[in-house]
Amino acid sequence: MAISHLASGQVTNVLPIEASLAEVKTTALFKGPHLEVIRMVLLAGKKVPPHQVSGPITIHCLKGEVDVGVESERKVLRQGDLLYLAGNVKHDLLALTDAALLVSVVLLSNTD
């Protein structure tokens, strides 16, 4: 099944506040040549292993609490917190509670 992305000018609500997060799936809301926006849902205890991406990213906590490892530091994101990471910064995530995140990734081409 193909994932439906937002069309230009289309509006969506990224806040899954009214639903149980166990019923909400991670969704790539938009992916263009230079930007990808994802609503990521992590249930309590779920981990995303250490990784890095070539472009800068932001992680905006919409709901819950997430422990983020940024190189050798740990940071806890709570509802409303926004974390910026430059490109190639190694990071990992651990959901402390059921959580929803809005992740924006700047996509770099090989020529950038």
Side-chain angles (χ1 to χ4, degrees):
M1 172 203 273
I3 296 175
S4 175
H5 292 110
L6 291 173
S8 181
Q10 184 179 358
V11 174
T12 192
N13 189 321
V14 298
L15 298 175
I17 301 304
E18 299 305 319
S20 164
L21 287 182
E23 299 170 13
V24 179
K25 297 196 181 318
T26 292
T27 306
L29 300 171
F30 167 83
K31 185 171 183 179
H34 302 290
L35 178 67
E36 182 172 20
V37 178
I38 303 157
R39 183 182 61 206
M40 179 180 288
V41 175
L42 298 173
L43 299 181
K46 175 74 175 171
K47 295 179 182 181
V48 176
H51 63 286
Q52 61 194 42
V53 295
S54 57
I57 69 170
T58 61
I59 303 171
H60 181 184
C61 185
L62 302 173
K63 184 173 183 175
E65 292 187 349
V66 178
D67 181 283
V68 183
V70 179
E71 296 181 327
S72 62
E73 282 187 66
R74 305 295 312 171
K75 301 178 182 297
V76 175
L77 298 182
R78 293 176 179 85
Q79 185 171 332
D81 290 344
L82 176 79
L83 174 67
Y84 163 75
L85 297 174
N88 295 309
V89 173
K90 190 179 239 182
H91 59 283
D92 64 87
L93 298 108
L94 168 63
L96 301 175
T97 65
D98 290 351
L101 307 168
L102 188 65
V103 180
S104 299
V105 182
V106 175
L107 304 172
L108 300 178
S109 68
N110 292 334
T111 59
D112 287 341

